[in-house]
Amino acid sequence: MDVFSDPTNFETYKVGFLWILKLTAAGTVGSVVLGVVLAAMRVSPIPVLRGFGTGWVNLFRNTPLTLIVFFCYFGLYSALGLELSDDIDRNNYWLGVVGLSVYTAAFVCEAIRSGINTVPAGQAEAARAIGMSFLQTLTVVILPQAARAVVAPLGSIFIALAKNSTIVGTIGLMESSSAMKELINANGDAVVPIFLVFAGTFALVLIPTGYLFGWLANRLAVKR
Amino acid sequence: MTTSEPLIVLEHVNKHFGPLHVLQDVSLTVSRGEVVVVIGPSGSGKSTLCRAINRLEPIDGGTITFDGRPLPAEGKALARLRSEVGMVFQSFNLFAHKTILQNVMLGPVKVRKEKPDSVRERAMSLLDRVGIASQADKYPAQLSGGQQQRVAIARALAMQPKALLFDEPTSALDPEMVGEVLDVMTSLAKDGMTMVVVTHEMGFARHAADRVVFMADGQLVEESTPVDFFENPKSERARDFLSKILTH
């Protein structure tokens, strides 16, 4: 544990996990917003939108995240010149958020869509019968019930997102897995303790997160 | 209370479900203030007929006009029409994630963009009318079937509809809860609400209907006053049906 009593090393550890937290937070927001829109597209009566949603899910769910994050860096940034910040770290961070969001959105979309299937058809009929539009029916009646049905699987997706955030290290962001690699390179005699501290930190945060989502799922469940 | 002014007019309506011809050349006129009860054996097309009137089931042929205008095919115009035609379902279909009061207020607030404060007052008086005011803050799953169905009626009434459609409103209820729902429907009928009621409740058909329509195999077989229909059915099919249900 001597490794972490060195202030520089501790800073590396701390900054690494702060990046993971930020990536996870921004990725959650981005993937939920995108995922809900995609799910709405997939159940919409308009064939073009349905096709777009299906295409998105098939493309991003079946492409390795590493490839997507690489593409965000080498494709969007290097080749196409998309610069999201002047600061190089911030730029890599935002490129990572884009990659994580478009990828995770595919999973969020499918979770929400399976939630929509748990809402009885009569709910939508009743909404239409009082004169609600398709969008109102979806946003006021269907999605709130669908979301409550998929809190637990969404929790799993967000936990996976937190761990997947380490992939942004591959495009140069000093997040926790890169930080761990750096500490191990410099302290070859303490590989196991370093690994345990990094892995333990993830577990310490994510295990309660899993229980929190389980508890929320019970609390928010719609009684029928 | 019935006027001769037609509100709902179906002309030569046809509807198929795949190879099944569920509505065969059905023509029916419902006047303003009239209570029409549709009865007939299962699978005769009664529910489809009822659902066609607010286009929850689109039809393949013929025309349906409501209040002088043909039913819009889709979009805003269709939504507006539906807001003027209340519907009560067999399975209640109350919004499960909303309280009783929210269920009743949702239509006026979201669809009509009325102010929540004035809607709340109207919703509470409607809940009072159907005898559920004390349960306003509960969720649908906490209520009995009969109570849920009365809330569903209040929800339909909150839109101040020109007509109400009932699709077997008591078929999913325990026997002891049928009466409380029929009481509410009877009082609506007395107040002059235009109603199309698909039901197996022959007692309600007898005492609350202005006219009874008998359907079988997708066809409108017979229509007459309740007294005529129950005392003196003209068609063989209706006699057969009545003999099966009235002898027990």
Side-chain angles (χ1 to χ4, degrees):
Chain A
M1 290 298 153
D2 294 344
V3 179
F4 292 93
S5 52
D6 178 314
T8 326
N9 289 351
F10 186 76
E11 187 67 13
T12 307
Y13 162 84
K14 196 184 79 183
V15 169
F17 272 100
L18 280 178
W19 279 124
I20 294 295
L21 276 181
K22 288 183 195 162
L23 285 166
T24 308
T28 301
V29 173
S31 64
V32 166
V33 171
L34 257 173
V36 168
V37 172
L38 287 168
M41 285 181 172
R42 290 205 72 174
V43 298
S44 83
I46 303 165
V48 177
L49 294 183
R50 277 206 305 274
F52 181 85
T54 310
W56 185 294
V57 168
N58 281 333
L59 178 64
F60 289 108
R61 194 171 58 174
N62 300 304
T63 308
L65 178 58
T66 319
L67 263 61
I68 294 171
V69 172
F70 271 179
F71 178 80
C72 287
Y73 186 83
F74 293 108
L76 295 182
Y77 171 60
S78 300
L80 300 172
L82 177 75
E83 200 173 322
L84 298 170
S85 171
D86 297 336
D87 180 70
I88 183 138
D89 274 347
R90 302 240 116 228
N91 189 45
N92 290 343
Y93 162 74
W94 282 115
L95 289 168
V97 168
V98 170
L100 287 168
S101 296
V102 298
Y103 173 81
T104 310
F107 294 88
V108 171
C109 165
E110 289 304 273
I112 300 267
R113 202 164 64 97
S114 76
I116 289 174
N117 290 333
T118 69
V119 181
Q123 297 282 308
E125 281 197 343
R128 282 153 67 206
I130 55 172
M132 285 193 183
S133 65
F134 172 78
L135 213 58
Q136 282 178 323
T137 302
L138 195 67
T139 56
V140 178
V141 174
I142 305 299
L143 281 178
Q145 296 187 52
R148 287 154 185 247
V150 294
V151 170
L154 281 179
S156 299
I157 292 173
F158 297 146
I159 287 173
L161 168 65
K163 299 184 295 173
N164 288 342
S165 299
T166 54
I167 287 178
V168 183
T170 59
I171 58 171
L173 191 71
M174 253 308 181
E175 48 62 55
S176 60
S177 72
S178 305
M180 181 174 98
K181 202 163 79 183
E182 187 173 279
L183 291 186
I184 285 175
N185 283 340
N187 303 276
D189 55 338
V191 174
V192 172
I194 292 173
F195 168 77
L196 287 178
V197 166
F198 275 89
T201 309
F202 270 106
L204 206 66
V205 177
L206 294 182
I207 289 172
T209 306
Y211 281 102
L212 172 73
F213 274 92
W215 177 77
L216 275 177
N218 273 328
R219 227 191 114 83
L220 296 176
V222 178
K223 311 267 184 310
R224 297 197 189 282
Chain B
M1 262 168 290
T2 307
T3 64
S4 53
E5 189 189 344
L7 183 64
I8 305 167
V9 181
L10 291 83
E11 280 175 319
H12 307 293
V13 169
N14 279 284
K15 165 86 185 171
H16 295 78
F17 283 129
L20 272 171
H21 198 173
V22 288
L23 291 181
Q24 301 177 20
D25 207 35
V26 173
S27 296
L28 175 70
T29 300
V30 180
S31 302
R32 214 176 280 274
E34 192 179 20
V35 177
V36 173
V37 169
V38 184
I39 60 179
S42 300
S44 58
K46 323 181 285 292
S47 284
T48 310
L49 176 82
C50 185
R51 292 161 57 85
I53 295 173
N54 70 353
R55 216 181 150 81
L56 281 180
E57 294 293 355
I59 55 173
D60 310 334
T63 57
I64 302 178
T65 57
F66 182 81
D67 207 7
R69 284 165 301 168
L71 285 199
E74 55 189 19
K76 283 207 173 87
L78 178 59
R80 194 171 313 117
L81 169 110
R82 284 179 176 150
S83 74
E84 293 175 354
V85 185
M87 177 125 192
V88 176
F89 299 88
Q90 180 176 352
S91 48
F92 330 133
N93 296 346
L94 293 180
F95 304 127
H97 62 309
K98 300 276 184 193
T99 66
I100 297 311
L101 181 61
Q102 287 169 338
N103 263 275
V104 179
M105 291 176 59
L106 205 59
V109 172
K110 294 285 177 190
V111 176
R112 292 260 165 79
K113 314 286 182 204
E114 292 180 52
K115 293 228 157 40
D117 288 336
S118 61
V119 175
R120 182 173 293 111
E121 216 168 290
R122 191 165 88 231
M124 281 310 295
S125 75
L126 283 169
L127 285 174
D128 195 40
R129 175 172 181 183
V130 298
I132 324 266
S134 60
Q135 323 270 0
D137 294 324
K138 289 191 177 168
Y139 285 86
Q142 295 171 285
L143 267 56
S144 73
Q147 290 173 322
Q148 288 192 52
Q149 194 62 296
R150 284 184 280 151
V151 175
I153 294 172
R155 176 175 68 180
L157 289 173
M159 296 299 286
Q160 298 170 319
K162 293 176 181 166
L164 276 181
L165 309 174
F166 293 83
D167 185 7
E168 301 203 27
T170 57
S171 299
L173 295 176
D174 291 336
E176 78 268 26
M177 291 168 186
V178 169
E180 63 196 56
V181 172
L182 291 181
D183 285 346
V184 171
M185 290 167 61
T186 306
S187 97
L188 286 172
K190 284 209 180 90
D191 288 353
M193 175 60 79
T194 309
M195 293 162 62
V196 176
V197 184
V198 174
T199 188
H200 294 293
E201 301 297 335
M202 297 305 144
F204 178 80
R206 266 177 198 275
H207 75 251
D210 294 312
R211 191 150 46 110
V212 171
V213 168
F214 177 74
M215 282 188 76
D217 304 322
Q219 287 168 328
L220 204 155
V221 178
E222 189 168 339
E223 50 180 317
S224 51
T225 62
V227 176
D228 266 1
F229 179 75
F230 286 107
E231 306 299 329
N232 187 21
K234 290 182 213 62
S235 62
E236 183 57 39
R237 198 77 183 72
R239 274 197 292 274
D240 181 51
F241 177 74
L242 287 173
S243 73
K244 279 175 186 149
I245 58 163
L246 294 179
T247 48
H248 297 289

